Amino acid sequence: MGNLISFDQTFFIQLVNFLITLVVLNFLLIRPVRNQIAARKTLTEGYAADAARFAQEADVKLRSYEEALSAARVEAGKSRELAKKEGLREEQDLLAAAQADAQRFLQSSRSDVARQMKEAGDALAARVDSLAASAVSKILGHQ
């Protein structure tokens, strides 16, 4: 058995052939692929930066919206309380006016009833003598 590897002139031809192939492949294939990968990496990093910026802007806008919503809720609560207080005050004013009207009406009615009772009493008192005489004559049978 002889040497499996011999370094004769074919070895050097194959080595030169390999180096030439390596240079050609590097020039035609490897370098353009590397350039495409680098360009894609740059593009991807740009998109990632844009996405991060958009997410940050969205967070800021969301916080601003939530703050505005919270302020609007507080303002609505204050307005609701103010309207409720005004409604209660108006209700009390209306009730007080209605009670005053009712008291005036009651007082007027009482004075009218007292006046009518006095007039009726005076009218009866004026007719008592004639009614008594009429009653006595009817009882005694004199008509």
Side-chain angles (χ1 to χ4, degrees), residues 60-132:
V60 168
K61 287 179 182 179
L62 181 62
R63 272 189 247 118
S64 173
Y65 169 76
E66 288 173 349
E67 288 172 2
L69 185 61
S70 177
R73 284 182 180 151
V74 168
E75 185 65 29
K78 287 179 183 178
S79 296
R80 186 174 44 247
E81 286 298 319
L82 180 64
K84 187 176 179 181
K85 287 179 183 178
E86 287 177 10
L88 286 174
R89 185 174 50 240
E90 188 174 329
E91 177 186 12
Q92 290 172 350
D93 291 345
L94 289 173
L95 283 175
Q99 285 177 344
D101 286 345
Q103 287 296 328
R104 280 193 299 274
F105 178 75
L106 184 61
Q107 187 65 30
S108 173
S109 295
R110 283 182 182 164
S111 64
D112 283 348
V113 168
R115 182 184 49 78
Q116 288 174 1
M117 283 177 54
K118 182 171 180 353
E119 287 175 0
D122 290 345
L124 281 177
R127 292 185 55 197
V128 165
D129 290 338
S130 69
L131 286 175

Side-chain angles (χ1 to χ4, degrees), residues 20-40:
I20 290 172
T21 304
L22 186 64
V23 168
V24 169
L25 282 177
N26 186 35
F27 180 75
L28 294 177
L29 185 66
I30 296 173
R31 189 177 299 157
V33 169
R34 271 196 224 150
N35 290 340
Q36 285 295 326
I37 291 172
R40 282 192 182 182

